Amino acid sequence: MSKEPLFPLSRRQFLTLGGGGLLSLTALVALGKKNMEGMRMSAPSAALPKPHFSAPLPIPPQYTGHLAADGVREFHLRIGAGTSQLCSGLHTPTWGYNGGLLGPALLIPRHQPVRLWVHNTLAESTTTHWHGAHVPGSMDGGPQSLILPGKVWRYEYQLAQPEATLWYHPHPASRTGPHIYAGLAGLYLVQDGTDAALGLPRDWGVDDIPVIVQDRLLDDSGTLQYMPMAMDVMGMKGNRFLINGRESPVLEAPAQWLRLRLLNASNARLYNFAFSEDREFYVIASDAGYLAAPVAVQRLLLAPAERAEILIDLRRLAGKELYLRSDSGSVVPALSLRPMDSDQYDRSNFPLLAIRVRPAQQPGGTLPEQLVDIPRLRPDAPARRFVLRGMAMRQDMPELRKAMQQVRYAGPGGMSLGIGGEPLFSINGASMNMSVINERLRLGSTEIWEIINQAEMAHTFHVHGTSFQILARDGAPPPATERGWKDTLLIRREETVRFIAHFGQKATEEFPYMYHCHMLEHEDNGMMGQFTVT
C-alpha cells in the first residue's frame, strides 16, 4: 500500500530545494502549493476508509519475574525477530521482546531490588531504556548502553517512585525510531498497592486494560515501510492504527467501571482521545503517577510517549457498543505552520478500538473522589533554559543527500532503518553529539527548566532519570490533567513551558542522561542532548 502524503515531494525535489544546499521554508511551502494542484488529497473532507472491527484485542501478558537465590526479583527479556498479524490477512515481519511483537507488561515492585537480563538475538545492536524510571544513568538504557548482537546486558536497581504506568523501548543513537517502529516496546508497571487501596479496577485484561496505540505503514505484502519519503524526517506516520499490535480490535468489557492505561507509542502522531457520543471519562493518572483527584473530560490529547490512565463508566451500557477514537482534526492541524505536517488522519476524527459491553462481573472497581497527595517541589539551584528549533534553519543538504543514498535495509523483512544522525533539529543551537555533555547538574538538586519552542511545529520534551511537575504554560497554570507527575510533555509552537524536577540519581559522563524530543525522527536527527548528575 502506498503512502499518500499531503505534499508529495519527491526525494530529488526535497534535496534540491533552495539550489544552494539550504532547506528554505519559503521554498518548501511554495513547492508544496505547486504539488497540491491535481493531487488526490486535494479534498481534505474526503472520507477515510471505514475500519472493520473484528479481531479480539490482544492483552500483553503480565510478567512478575521470579525470586533469585539472593532474594532479588529477576526478569529475562529476549529481543528477537518474529512474524505478527498486525492486520487481517497479512503476516508482517516484526521485532519484539519475548515474542514476535511488543513485550510483556513488567510488574516492578516499589522499594524492592530487581535484576533485568536483556538478551539481544538480533543482527543489530540496540538498547533497552526504562522510560520514566528513576534509575542511575548506568542502568537507564540510553545510547551508551549498547547491547551488541548475541550479547546480554544486566540492569540492577531498586525503585522508590510512586505507582505508575511507565514503558520500555530501545534507545540506540540515531536508530530509536526504526527499532520502536519494528515492534520493540512494552509496559513497565511500578506497583506499591495504591490501586488496591483506592479500589480502582485492577483485573488485568478484564476491567484494567492496556491500550498501546501505534500507527504503521505496510506494503501490499504486509512488510513494514519506514521513512519511504524524505519528508518522513518530519515525523513518520502510517495509515494503519494498531492497539496492542492489532488493527481495529474489539474489547469485550463488563458493564462496570473500566480502566484504560493509554500509551501513545507512535513515532510522531498525536491522538486526541475521545469516546462515542462524546461520553465523559475521568483521568486518574498522568505519565508518572496518579493525580490528586479524578478529572472529568471529554477529550485528552496525548503526544508520543505520553501516558494516561482513564476510567469510564459502563455500568448502564450492557449490550451496547462504543468506540475509543481520536478527534484529531479539532487540534492537530493548528499545531504546525506547515500544512504538510498534518495528513488526512490528523485532519479527521477516526475510531481506534471497539468496546462491546457485556454483563457485569463482580466485584468491580470504583471511581474514588480523591486519589493521592502530591508533594510540591521547591527549587534549590539556578533555572535552565532550553530552546527547540527545527528544519527552518540552515541544513547541510549534501550530508542529507549522502545519508539518503546510504539507508540500510536491516529491519524486519528488509525494512529500511531510515535517516538518522543528521543535524536537522537542535536544542540550544546544538544537535546531538555523543561526545558532548551539554549540561552538568548537582546530585540531589531540584531545578526549574524552561522549555521554549521556536520551531514551526509542536515538539515533545522528555527527561531521563526523573519525573517533573509542570509549573506553567506561557505563564498560566497547566490544565488539571497535567498537575501530577510527568516525564514527557507536548510543547506547542511559540510556547514556553516551565517545570520543576528533583535529580536524585547519579549519571556520569560514561553513562549520562538524555533530554530530547520524543518525536522519534526528530530525536534521531539532532533534537537531543546529554546531561550528568554528580
Side-chain angles (χ1 to χ4, degrees), residues 380-392:
D380 59 14
R384 296 176 193 265
R385 174 175 292 188
F386 301 83
V387 179
L388 313 183
R389 293 190 176 95
M391 286 187 64

Side-chain angles (χ1 to χ4, degrees), residues 228-300:
M229 296 178 59
M231 287 307 296
D232 290 327
V233 297
M234 301 306 297
M236 180 64 206
K237 296 178 181 179
N239 57 8
R240 304 274 196 160
F241 295 91
L242 312 179
I243 309 296
N244 300 345
R246 184 70 191 213
E247 183 182 38
S248 304
V250 177
L251 169 66
E252 296 205 359
Q256 53 201 53
W257 283 100
L258 178 67
R259 176 186 186 181
L260 300 181
R261 300 176 187 251
L262 302 176
L263 162 61
N264 181 352
S266 291
N267 282 39
R269 191 181 296 279
L270 284 74
Y271 300 92
N272 192 26
F273 291 103
F275 286 95
S276 305
E277 302 175 354
D278 288 336
R279 293 183 184 277
E280 186 176 72
F281 58 97
Y282 298 85
V283 182
I284 62 168
S286 54
D287 297 335
Y290 295 111
L291 301 176
V295 179
V297 298
Q298 291 177 300
R299 302 282 189 282
L300 181 65

Side-chain angles (χ1 to χ4, degrees), residues 199-411:
L200 295 171
R202 56 189 186 93
D203 190 348
W204 188 255
V206 177
D207 60 8
D208 182 1
I209 307 297
V211 180
I212 303 172
V213 185
Q214 299 173 304
D215 59 330
R216 295 293 183 264
L217 184 69
L218 306 179
D219 67 13
D220 291 338
S221 71
T223 302
L224 289 165
Q225 301 295 294
Y226 182 69
M227 293 184 71
M229 296 178 59
M231 287 307 296
D232 290 327
V233 297
M234 301 306 297
M236 180 64 206
K237 296 178 181 179
N239 57 8
R240 304 274 196 160
F241 295 91
L242 312 179
I243 309 296
N244 300 345
R246 184 70 191 213
E247 183 182 38
S248 304
V250 177
L251 169 66
E252 296 205 359
Q256 53 201 53
W257 283 100
L258 178 67
R259 176 186 186 181
L260 300 181
R261 300 176 187 251
L262 302 176
L263 162 61
N264 181 352
S266 291
N267 282 39
R269 191 181 296 279
L270 284 74
Y271 300 92
N272 192 26
F273 291 103
F275 286 95
S276 305
E277 302 175 354
D278 288 336
R279 293 183 184 277
E280 186 176 72
F281 58 97
Y282 298 85
V283 182
I284 62 168
S286 54
D287 297 335
Y290 295 111
L291 301 176
V295 179
V297 298
Q298 291 177 300
R299 302 282 189 282
L300 181 65
L301 182 66
L302 291 185
E306 287 191 299
R307 288 94 61 209
E309 295 185 37
I310 65 173
L311 262 60
I312 183 168
D313 189 358
L314 304 182
R315 289 177 295 178
R316 298 181 181 179
L317 298 179
K320 304 288 187 180
E321 183 173 81
L322 65 155
Y323 292 90
L324 176 68
R325 58 189 176 85
S326 180
D327 182 14
S328 298
S330 65
V331 176
V332 175
L335 295 176
S336 177
L337 289 175
R338 297 176 294 214
M340 76 279 286
D341 289 336
S342 296
D343 66 8
Q344 192 175 12
Y345 289 93
D346 289 330
R347 300 189 300 274
S348 303
N349 182 327
F350 53 94
L352 296 163
L353 171 68
I355 302 174
R356 294 173 184 164
V357 186
R358 301 295 181 241
Q361 299 181 13
Q362 298 297 333
T366 60
L367 176 71
E369 291 186 5
Q370 300 295 319
L371 293 165
V372 298
D373 293 329
I374 301 176
R376 293 300 161 188
L377 302 179
R378 297 290 182 268
D380 59 14
R384 296 176 193 265
R385 174 175 292 188
F386 301 83
V387 179
L388 313 183
R389 293 190 176 95
M391 286 187 64
M393 301 173 64
R394 296 171 60 94
Q395 306 298 331
D396 188 348
M397 297 309 295
E399 287 300 316
L400 183 56
R401 183 185 300 113
K402 180 180 177 181
M404 294 185 66
Q405 294 170 348
Q406 296 179 350
V407 166
R408 293 192 303 122
Y409 293 84

Side-chain angles (χ1 to χ4, degrees), residues 91-262:
H91 296 278
T92 300
T94 53
W95 292 346
Y97 292 96
N98 292 2
L101 183 71
L102 300 178
L106 306 183
L107 304 188
I108 307 296
R110 185 182 184 187
H111 296 312
Q112 294 183 29
V114 295
R115 185 181 298 127
L116 302 101
W117 303 86
V118 182
H119 181 197
N120 179 18
T121 70
L122 299 174
E124 284 281 308
S125 60
T126 190
T127 80
T128 294
H129 167 55
W130 318 107
H131 184 118
H134 300 182
V135 297
S138 59
M139 297 289 112
D140 183 60
Q144 292 80 7
S145 303
L146 206 60
I147 312 173
L148 299 177
K151 300 300 182 179
V152 177
W153 195 282
R154 186 186 74 179
Y155 303 84
E156 194 161 356
Y157 49 77
Q158 181 171 307
L159 295 183
Q161 65 196 93
E163 186 166 283
T165 298
L166 312 182
W167 65 306
Y168 59 97
H169 60 76
H171 208 309
S174 307
R175 293 175 291 131
T176 298
H179 283 211
I180 293 179
Y181 195 85
L184 292 172
L187 291 176
Y188 180 106
L189 309 181
V190 183
Q191 296 194 311
D192 62 12
T194 300
D195 61 352
L198 292 172
L200 295 171
R202 56 189 186 93
D203 190 348
W204 188 255
V206 177
D207 60 8
D208 182 1
I209 307 297
V211 180
I212 303 172
V213 185
Q214 299 173 304
D215 59 330
R216 295 293 183 264
L217 184 69
L218 306 179
D219 67 13
D220 291 338
S221 71
T223 302
L224 289 165
Q225 301 295 294
Y226 182 69
M227 293 184 71
M229 296 178 59
M231 287 307 296
D232 290 327
V233 297
M234 301 306 297
M236 180 64 206
K237 296 178 181 179
N239 57 8
R240 304 274 196 160
F241 295 91
L242 312 179
I243 309 296
N244 300 345
R246 184 70 191 213
E247 183 182 38
S248 304
V250 177
L251 169 66
E252 296 205 359
Q256 53 201 53
W257 283 100
L258 178 67
R259 176 186 186 181
L260 300 181
R261 300 176 187 251
L262 302 176

